[in-house]
Amino acid sequence: MSTPDASARSAARGRVGRAAQEVINKAQLFAERASWLLSAPTILRDSAREQVRILTVEALQARLRTLPVSELRGLVGRGARLGNLERAGFRTVADVHNARADRLGTVPGVGPTTAQQVSDAADKLAFRVSKDTRFRFEPDRRTPEQTQLLGTLAAIRYADSAVSSLREPMEFLSQRVTPLIAEANPATSKWAMLWSRRAKKDAALSALGKLDGVLADPKLASLSHTLDGAERALDSGSYSPDQLWQDYVSDAASFNALLSTLGGAGETDDVEAAQGFIGPELHQKITAVPLDTSLLRATLRGYQVFGAQYAVHQERSILGDEMGLGKTVQALAVFAHLAAKGQQRFLVVCPASVQINWLKEIERHSQLKAYSLHGRDREATGRRWLQRGGVAVTTFSTLGSLKCLDEAEIAMLVVDEAHYVKNRETKRAEHVRTVNGRAQRTLFLTGTPMENRVEEFRNLVSYLQPRLASRIDAGDTVASAKAFRRAVAPVYLRRNQEDVLTELPDKIEVEDWVQLTSADSAAYRQAVVDRNLMRMRQAAFTSHDSAKLERLAEIVEEALDDGLKVIVFSYFLGVLDIINRRLGSVVVGQITGSVTAAARQQLVDTFTQSERPAVLLSQIDAGGTGLNIQAASVVVIAEPQWKPSTEEQAIARAFRMGQIRTVQVHRLLAKGSVDDRVLEVQHEKRLLFDEYARKSDAKDADSRSVDPSEHRPDFLDDKAVPLERRIILAEQHRLGIVPGREPVA
């Protein structure tokens, strides 16, 4: 009876010569393609760095062209005859910098000594300017060079993802194929095989047979197909320019985070500030262990890497970065690092208003499984989380009732908006304290600055490091914010925008998804029953327990604590009135359709000139055009508008020439409401399409399990039915409301 190896050799004998060469060529091509894919992130990054270097030089030249040659006078002294250079056409520092000294020396009235002095001065000034010159994307000036770099960045993002998922199978097959190619090579020549020793012939035939087997493996065919798609995606020129810019505008933070690792969208050179002013000894301990980001989908900036390393090393600490610096993604980086090291269960406790946002961010930025421990199925979901591992997200109000946590081993607890438990006497504080006692690590997140809230800060620290809490001295805060941060460095890390970034994206846009409360849901359902679209759009604000109003209050409070001014836009007067009552005296007024143009400008002037942080409310149609409101650097859109252009025009009131701060845009969105349908209209998608796609995915294993009532209703796509009517019908269908049968309140 022949062995498998003998059978393979026997089959391979008939393929000696040209057929063997074809097998080897095919195997070699696969190995080369696999090798190229694995090296693609490095190759693409090298290309991007060179593109950034060229664009940065162009940015430097543009700045030097704005400087008149007279700027050099302070560097060369009064004796230099710069007027002669200007008359000869050297009118800017760029003109001088780009000319050699001997060229300057040919200008009448400019001697060799002066020419050299002026040339040296131009070089010195150019060097100074270059220190704070970095390339930034300009969506309003879409040059081919910028578009090319965007394409390279898009390819890098794909390459990172592809290599992460394909590295293991690619390396395994390459390691199998490469030695077989060398062993099988003699089989490409009948003459060589004729004169080879028996052992070499058998080895060549055996290797050729094995190569045949590898190439016939369906797994290789699947990998080859994946490579085809990868090669297209890794071609930076294959991306549509319009799509690239659309992706950049909608997700500039991710592109700029990647750009910051390549020498663009730069971070500050002030390393001490980026590390929260901690001492060198603690810094050395924190950075000694590299952060494992293999399970993370996001690109981290340098200060974010340090923040995650800090949380890992210190074990129980507070991350207090200013709003907009990415506290959530730093917490996810810690989870990903610990998961890569074998830890399994992580828990997030947060306000109900941001729970949905956490679930979305986990899915978007990591490979970890997210579980919602909130609502009717929370215990069953909790048991799955305990068995399988991942990140469970629950709320302060639900935490105390979760039985699944009684015996849970938690690798890390994250408490978001940790200032919610500053009062240790509350029930929520008691529940957090209990879970904290069972967690191996704990990280509190709060964007509320603590320097001037010593007692509150001491209470938070007492959960984490009680001994340190007892030593916190209010005198440290009196000295300076830096002194305070140094004193509490073992437990508290905070960076402000000016601390860590010299250039932020002009606009940071955030979708703040909230889960409707029970009261919200009841109000919303009644509006759907009544077929009242306007009430449906306002329902998330009108209940006594509004999730949107709670999230808005949190955004405003954090912004005001950071000294920022806020403008809130809504289509509805009633919503603005509700917000006005909730926010109180920090509101300087409301811009509505009934306010005259002169009065509107007076409100804007009052808002701008206010020495204190303040809030301005505006109907989006009334204040969304024609006003300059650069004093606001936080913009809140209370509900999605039918046209994206309406929102963009409103945002442009703050995001315009003269704005000196990064504009943070928050779009308040309620999950499971008409907001989902409005976004579908904005993005020109089919109504309820994703809902039906999910149902199909769940049931296509057995067509008998599909409920005929769940087939997509024809009216959803019937353009003859007015859009507003279709949206109401879609929501009635989604909620299972049969017109005429639902009791009316």
Side-chain angles (χ1 to χ4, degrees):
M1 184 175 181
S2 63
T3 64
D5 195 44
S7 298
R9 286 199 304 271
S10 177
R13 283 193 180 91
R15 308 195 68 180
V16 171
R18 181 178 298 176
Q21 186 67 63
E22 290 175 356
V23 171
I24 288 175
N25 289 345
K26 187 176 179 181
Q28 205 153 20
L29 178 61
F30 171 80
E32 289 170 357
R33 293 173 71 200
S35 176
W36 179 82
L37 175 66
L38 296 177
S39 63
T42 301
I43 295 171
L44 288 167
R45 277 179 167 79
D46 288 343
S47 174
R49 286 190 185 93
E50 179 59 18
Q51 292 174 55
V52 169
R53 185 192 67 77
I54 293 171
L55 287 164
T56 304
V57 170
E58 290 178 0
L60 173 61
Q61 286 291 318
R63 290 187 64 183
L64 294 180
R65 284 193 293 271
T66 67
L67 301 176
V69 73
S70 58
E71 290 285 329
L72 299 175
R73 192 171 299 282
L75 296 174
V76 296
R78 294 183 179 179
R81 298 182 179 181
L82 298 178
N84 291 336
L85 288 171
E86 290 181 275
R87 284 187 289 275
F90 295 94
R91 294 186 174 85
T92 70
V93 174
D95 296 332
V96 175
H97 180 62
N98 295 333
R100 295 189 308 180
D102 55 358
R103 169 71 181 89
L104 300 177
T106 64
V107 174
V110 178
T113 301
T114 298
Q116 190 61 56
Q117 287 175 338
V118 171
S119 180
D120 291 345
D123 289 346
K124 185 178 295 185
L125 183 56
F127 178 75
R128 290 179 183 175
V129 174
S130 72
K131 296 294 286 183
D132 64 349
T133 299
R134 291 176 174 83
F135 163 73
R136 295 179 67 185
F137 285 110
E138 300 177 72
D140 295 329
R141 192 178 69 87
R142 303 179 179 186
T143 65
E145 293 78 13
Q146 290 187 65
T147 304
Q148 181 185 12
L149 178 57
L150 274 179
T152 304
L153 295 179
I156 290 172
R157 295 171 73 182
Y158 182 90
D160 288 344
S161 174
V163 168
S164 175
S165 60
L166 294 176
R167 179 179 296 279
E168 190 174 336
M170 289 292 186
E171 286 182 343
F172 175 72
L173 280 167
S174 291
Q175 289 166 2
R176 286 187 62 193
V177 165
T178 303
L180 290 176
I181 290 173
E183 289 181 32
N185 195 58
T188 61
S189 168
K190 293 181 179 180
W191 184 257
M193 288 291 282
L194 179 64
W195 294 100
S196 294
R197 293 194 298 270
R198 178 80 179 188
K200 190 173 183 179
K201 286 181 183 179
D202 287 347
L205 292 172
S206 177
L208 184 61
K210 290 176 181 177
L211 273 180
D212 256 334
V214 170
L215 295 176
D217 191 331
K219 292 180 182 177
L220 188 73
S222 176
L223 274 176
S224 183
H225 179 71
T226 301
L227 271 173
D228 291 340
E231 287 167 348
R232 288 190 295 272
L234 297 179
D235 177 5
S236 60
S238 68
Y239 293 87
S240 158
D242 287 343
Q243 186 63 50
L244 284 172
W245 282 104
Q246 184 178 331
D247 291 345
Y248 175 77
V249 169
S250 64
D251 193 16
S254 294
F255 277 97
N256 282 302
L258 178 54
L259 188 63
S260 74
T261 69
L262 302 168
E267 297 186 24
T268 178
D269 294 329
D270 189 347
V271 176
E272 186 185 23
Q275 294 165 357
F277 303 101
I278 68 170
E281 185 177 346
L282 180 56
H283 164 263
Q284 187 175 5
K285 292 178 181 177
I286 288 169
T287 56
V289 179
L291 190 71
D292 189 330
T293 59
S294 58
L295 298 179
L296 201 66
R297 293 193 177 104
T299 300
L300 300 178
R301 292 179 178 266
Y303 75 88
Q304 292 174 327
V305 171
F306 181 79
Q309 289 177 308
Y310 174 89
V312 170
H313 182 270
Q314 296 305 95
E315 297 189 354
R316 296 183 183 275
S317 59
I318 301 171
L319 181 60
D321 285 348
E322 184 180 8
M323 178 171 55
L325 294 184
K327 293 186 290 294
T328 299
V329 78
Q330 290 177 73
L332 293 179
V334 180
F335 291 161
H337 172 86
L338 295 175
K341 303 302 180 186
Q343 300 290 329
Q344 293 186 331
R345 285 175 287 275
F346 310 99
L347 178 66
V348 175
V349 181
C350 62
S353 58
V354 297
Q355 198 221 9
I356 289 291
N357 224 57
W358 266 99
L359 296 169
K360 285 179 171 289
E361 292 295 283
I362 293 165
E363 180 180 349
R364 178 185 177 192
H365 291 308
S366 80
Q367 298 178 40
L368 305 177
K369 176 70 174 174
Y371 300 85
S372 174
L373 304 192
H374 188 66
R376 187 176 302 172
D377 298 327
R378 58 182 180 264
E379 291 296 342
T381 304
R383 288 192 293 272
R384 288 199 300 274
W385 165 63
L386 291 174
Q387 293 169 358
R388 303 172 187 176
V391 184
V393 186
T394 192
T395 65
F396 287 111
S397 58
T398 302
L399 181 63
S401 64
L402 286 173
K403 295 183 176 59
C404 61
L405 295 181
D406 290 345
E407 303 299 329
E409 294 182 4
I410 301 170
M412 186 164 194
L413 166 68
V414 165
V415 180
D416 194 12
E417 306 292 353
H419 48 276
Y420 272 48
V421 294
K422 63 190 178 186
N423 183 351
R424 293 176 57 87
E425 304 307 315
T426 62
K427 281 289 185 183
R428 70 169 59 142
E430 177 186 339
H431 299 323
V432 167
R433 192 159 48 243
T434 300
V435 178
N436 174 53
R438 292 201 297 269
Q440 296 175 31
R441 285 180 168 85
T442 298
L443 178 64
F444 280 8
L445 305 179
T446 176
T448 302
M450 290 289 153
E451 284 84 341
N452 298 317
R453 305 182 181 198
V454 178
E455 191 56 41
E456 293 177 8
F457 180 69
R458 189 184 287 117
N459 286 343
L460 292 184
V461 174
S462 67
Y463 291 91
L464 306 167
Q465 298 187 33
R467 290 184 180 179
L468 179 59
S470 65
R471 300 198 302 270
I472 292 175
D473 184 356
D476 291 323
T477 68
V478 175
S480 71
K482 290 183 181 179
F484 173 76
R485 293 186 208 172
R486 287 192 180 101
V488 298
V491 73
Y492 179 59
L493 179 68
R494 177 175 173 86
R495 282 78 56 90
N496 298 327
Q497 289 180 359
E498 62 267 25
D499 285 339
V500 297
L501 297 176
T502 58
E503 294 185 46
L504 279 171
D506 290 325
K507 185 169 56 177
I508 299 175
E509 301 193 52
V510 178
E511 289 186 350
D512 278 289
W513 286 92
V514 302
Q515 186 74 52
L516 292 174
T517 65
S518 297
D520 288 336
S521 295
Y524 181 73
R525 186 179 184 89
Q526 190 59 55
V528 177
V529 169
D530 295 342
R531 301 188 294 281
N532 189 322
L533 184 58
M534 290 301 191
R535 271 176 45 210
M536 288 163 61
R537 293 184 65 200
Q538 299 175 73
F541 271 105
T542 56
S543 80
H544 67 85
D545 186 24
S546 165
K548 272 197 178 183
L549 191 58
E550 185 65 25
R551 180 57 187 149
L552 173 63
E554 292 166 0
I555 292 169
V556 169
E557 180 183 4
E558 190 169 336
L560 299 185
D561 283 338
D562 284 325
L564 307 179
K565 294 181 179 179
V566 183
I567 182 165
V568 181
F569 289 104
S570 175
Y571 179 83
F572 302 100
L573 265 175
V575 169
L576 293 179
D577 289 339
I578 291 169
I579 294 170
N580 197 356
R581 288 195 295 272
R582 173 62 183 272
L583 298 183
S585 61
V586 298
V587 177
V588 300
Q590 295 186 44
I591 297 174
T592 68
S594 62
V595 177
T596 66
R600 292 180 191 183
Q601 188 58 55
Q602 182 59 50
L603 273 174
V604 172
D605 291 343
T606 301
F607 177 72
T608 301
Q609 293 162 13
S610 172
E611 295 181 358
R612 296 182 178 180
V615 179
L616 180 65
L617 307 181
S618 177
Q619 276 190 293
I620 199 161
D621 287 343
T625 57
L627 293 174
N628 299 333
I629 317 176
Q630 297 100 317
S633 55
V634 177
V635 178
V636 180
I637 309 292
E639 71 285 319
Q641 307 302 308
W642 295 114
K643 296 179 180 179
S645 59
T646 303
E647 297 181 10
E648 291 303 324
Q649 286 177 354
I651 294 165
R653 299 311 96 214
F655 178 51
R656 62 192 301 110
M657 187 177 295
Q659 176 59 253
I660 61 172
R661 301 195 65 139
T662 297
V663 174
Q664 300 175 33
V665 180
H666 294 263
R667 289 180 168 85
L668 297 182
L669 301 163
K671 192 66 181 171
S673 78
V674 71
D675 289 357
D676 286 315
R677 308 290 80 78
V678 176
L679 289 185
E680 286 168 344
V681 172
Q682 281 190 6
H683 300 153
E684 298 181 349
K685 294 182 177 179
R686 298 168 68 191
L687 295 178
L688 284 182
F689 179 80
D690 287 342
E691 181 77 7
Y692 282 90
R694 283 194 295 271
K695 289 176 179 176
S696 175
D697 288 341
K699 296 182 176 181
D700 59 8
D702 185 354
S703 59
R704 293 171 299 176
S705 66
V706 178
D707 182 351
S709 67
E710 291 185 353
H711 287 319
R712 183 176 179 79
D714 294 337
F715 64 75
L716 290 178
D717 303 311
D718 186 353
K719 298 296 178 64
V721 179
L723 177 61
E724 294 188 0
R725 172 69 175 159
R726 275 187 284 148
I727 288 174
I728 294 171
L729 292 172
E731 282 303 273
Q732 287 184 331
H733 187 82
R734 184 180 67 82
L735 295 173
I737 295 172
V738 179
R741 295 186 188 176
E742 191 84 359
V744 179

